[in-house]
């Protein structure tokens, strides 16, 4: 009886991995609109602040994310872009004109996309 319980416990532990959601390693590169690598950008998985990565000198990053997650890329100058994770292993994020911040003074900051929307 004791050995049956141990065998059952081992089988239960092995089967738990099969029930877990499948996460994959995503690699990518963050570049500006001129194609230059962006160093020090923070990449986070939306909804899970514990999973994050930063870009190196060449703008390259690696992060653990699932298909359907959204990656938020934020630079030191507070430019932000959100990119969906699809069935790809390598992502190139281009920080274009619409992600740049505009400071209007009095503590009011907006992106170029929002400020030109009127």
């Amino acid at each position: 009886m004791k050995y049956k319980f141990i065998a059952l416990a081992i089988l239960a532990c092995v089967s738990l991995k099969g029930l877990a959601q499948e996460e994959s390693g995503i690699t990518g590169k963050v570049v500006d609109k001129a194609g230059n690598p962006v160093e020090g950008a923070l990449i986070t998985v939306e909804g899970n602040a514990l999973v994050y990565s930063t870009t190196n000198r060449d703008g390259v990053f690696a992060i653990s994310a699932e298909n359907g997650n959204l990656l938020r890329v934020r630079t030191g100058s507070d430019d932000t872009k959100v990119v969906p994770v699809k069935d790809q292993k390598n992502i190139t994020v281009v920080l274009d004109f619409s992600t740049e911040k505009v400071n209007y003074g009095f503590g009011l900051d907006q992106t170029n996309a929002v400020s030109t929307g009127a």
Side-chain angles (χ1 to χ4, degrees), residues 65-117:
E66 303 172 5
N67 289 339
N69 283 136
L70 295 175
L71 297 181
R72 179 176 295 273
V73 180
R74 188 174 197 168
T75 65
S77 60
D78 219 17
D79 299 340
T80 304
K81 186 165 189 175
V82 178
V83 180
V85 176
K86 298 180 183 168
D87 292 332
Q88 63 224 37
K89 296 286 185 187
N90 198 359
I91 298 174
T92 300
V93 180
V94 179
L95 297 175
D96 52 2
F97 181 71
S98 65
T99 62
E100 293 178 1
K101 291 281 186 176
V102 177
N103 185 353
Y104 292 106
F106 305 106
L108 179 63
D109 289 329
Q110 293 181 335
T111 63
N112 276 335
V114 172
S115 67
T116 58

